Amino acid sequence: MEKRVLVLNLDHSPVAVVPVHKAIVLCLLEKANILSTYELLQIRTVSRSFEYPAVIRLTHYKTIPFRGVLLNRTNLFKRDNGECQYCGSKRHLTIDHIIPKSKGGKTIWTNLITACNRCNVNKGDKTPEQAGLILRSEPFKPSLSYFLAEYAERQAEEWLPFLSSRVIS
Ligand SMILES: [Zn+2]
């Protein structure tokens, strides 16, 4: 199975995750350097073998238009650990506007949370204060690093030292 390679910008901010063959090409063209490798893995061709990169860094700074994490149901549930942010239930999850739309609440990361159907219905068209509900955590806008770090925890611990910033303020 082909492992994925984390690509960092010249300033060490994560910019992408690419398949290994693409990472090798970037290194051969001297557009990137290997910062970390997967131990015990090698890539062999007829004439030579390469270390298997885990993290590479671009040799020139690349200006990247801001790429946030897509705001959708899956990513929102993931940010909230799949738990209702009022009662902690993991069942019948829905999306709740903290400040209801009818009161001008926006559809943005910081106004949306995961809520179970029961809490959502109880809250209705009220704010959490009006409904007597307390948020278990402050909703935040996750950065690309945040999700890459989550991914790395499952896939590639070699990435973790390079993924420190979890939130873009
Ligand atoms: Zn709930």
Side-chain angles (χ1 to χ4, degrees):
M1 190 192 75
E2 192 178 69
K3 284 190 172 280
R4 313 284 283 176
V5 181
L6 175 65
V7 184
L8 304 180
N9 214 336
L10 191 60
D11 65 359
H12 284 251
S13 58
V15 290
V17 174
V18 299
V20 71
H21 64 265
K22 200 169 170 191
I24 300 265
V25 168
L26 285 171
C27 292
L28 288 176
L29 294 174
E30 297 184 342
K31 288 187 173 173
N33 295 316
I34 294 178
L35 290 190
S36 173
T37 56
Y38 290 109
E39 270 183 66
L40 308 174
L41 285 177
Q42 279 207 326
I43 295 155
R44 288 174 197 286
T45 65
V46 185
S47 54
R48 55 187 287 200
S49 67
F50 302 94
E51 288 192 295
Y52 203 118
V55 181
I56 63 172
R57 188 180 68 150
L58 300 174
T59 50
H60 292 93
Y61 189 81
K62 200 165 178 221
T63 307
I64 307 218
F66 175 72
R67 286 188 313 171
V69 175
L70 198 64
L71 175 54
N72 60 27
R73 194 180 167 87
T74 308
N75 288 339
L76 188 78
F77 287 0
K78 205 162 142 189
R79 182 200 65 183
D80 294 341
N81 297 317
E83 290 176 359
C84 171
Q85 294 300 296
Y86 297 120
C87 75
S89 170
K90 289 176 182 285
R91 301 181 60 190
H92 309 300
L93 298 178
T94 62
I95 294 173
D96 178 52
H97 282 74
I98 301 170
I99 308 291
K101 270 191 197 166
S102 62
K103 295 189 163 60
K106 292 185 181 146
T107 303
I108 52 174
W109 280 104
T110 48
N111 191 47
L112 294 176
I113 49 147
T114 306
C116 72
N117 193 46
R118 207 183 59 164
C119 289
N120 209 337
V121 168
N122 283 345
K123 181 169 170 281
D125 216 13
K126 300 189 279 273
T127 65
E129 297 76 44
Q130 290 168 341
L133 292 166
I134 295 167
L135 281 170
R136 296 159 77 93
S137 65
E138 192 68 31
F140 63 93
K141 180 178 180 177
S143 66
L144 185 61
S145 300
Y146 173 82
F147 272 100
L148 289 175
E150 294 288 304
Y151 178 82
E153 272 163 35
R154 286 179 287 119
Q155 306 271 343
E157 61 185 42
E158 289 83 356
W159 294 5
L160 288 177
F162 303 96
L163 295 171
S164 51
S165 58
R166 288 168 78 83
V167 183
I168 288 174
S169 53

